[in-house]
Amino acid sequence: MTPRLAPIPASLPDSVPFVGPETLERRRGAPFRARLGANENGFGPSPQAIAAMRAAAAEVWKYGDPTNHDLKQALARHCGCAAENIVVGEGIDGLLGLAVRLLVDAGDAVVTSGGGYPTFDFHVTGFGGQLLRVPYRDDMQDPAALVARAASAGARMVYLCNPDNPMGGWHPPEVIEAAVAALPADMLMILDEAYVEFAPALPRIDPADPRVLRMRTFSKAYGMAGARIGYAIGAPSLVAAFDRVRNHFGVNSVAQAGALAALGDPAHLDATRAQVAAARARIAEIAAANGLAALPSATNFVAVDCGGDGDFARRIVEGLAARGVFVRMPWVAPQNRCIRVSCGPDGELDAFAEALACALG
């Protein structure tokens, strides 16, 4: 007899939010030529970060600093706030789970965008929250509609991703600032800024505002997805509450060292931004050459409108995979008419161009 599950997880279906490329490679019996589906930074981390992680590996017998002190101090300087406004965690995914655990009780309403980041939904349902979904508007999340729906439902939490995953769009600062201004006093906005380093401008939000928790990561622009390290900016009282539930040794010492070094190499970050911008333009050119249309992007990926429905886009994804190119697609209509292609080095985009023409043919 197996142990009895607690009531909430027992009521949930088996779920895997993302099927990893490694699983797909095992299924097809061969590695991918181009890994362009997970919004990883194929241009790689700072050489300084690699050196720091290599040095830290020699002392991996030690637990990492459970307070993340040095990294929090550096992040505070980087973000223009106090260290008390910073909580470090195992990527945004880990921090999302902790935030939901802190604030969402069974039956509480939580508002998000239909077709938005599924891992957030996974955490909400895992703690018994009730998800309310607002549709995208013109392939963009709708901040005003999200806040209005959350206010009318008396929601505990509202989730907004800007720049957006999976469509790549971006709302200018004044739109986000207006949404924050409309938040009720007892509601928390999770503002997912995983792609913030690629955004043209940032909203002005008081770090002490208890209604907003801004989440950021070293997985995208800094090229450290495998290290699993991210952080959130919020009011000191909320940040301090994370100590009640977080895994205090969850952020390993190698990741802390790499993140600290990455912050100290702004030149590499600037070079990455330039590489990503060039890759976005190249993906748009490849799409146009095949009769498809690239959506505007402020991220390190491009959503490509395939001009059909979700079934048509899925056949393209499968055709690309059969030719050794890994991409993904949005999972809710009408956004699922698109495929989503991560920016990457020229060789991988060459493989994508070749495979796309064949898949469409």
Side-chain angles (χ1 to χ4, degrees), residues 14 27 132 192 219:
D14 291 334
R27 289 177 183 172
L132 305 176
D192 186 338
S219 295

Side-chain angles (χ1 to χ4, degrees), residues 44-82:
S46 159
Q48 295 180 28
I50 294 172
M53 288 187 284
R54 186 177 289 119
E59 296 191 334
V60 77
W61 60 272
K62 300 177 181 177
Y63 287 112
D65 175 8
T67 69
N68 305 286
H69 176 273
D70 292 349
L71 181 57
K72 286 178 66 173
Q73 294 293 326
L75 285 167
R77 292 191 295 272
H78 178 74
C79 299
C81 62

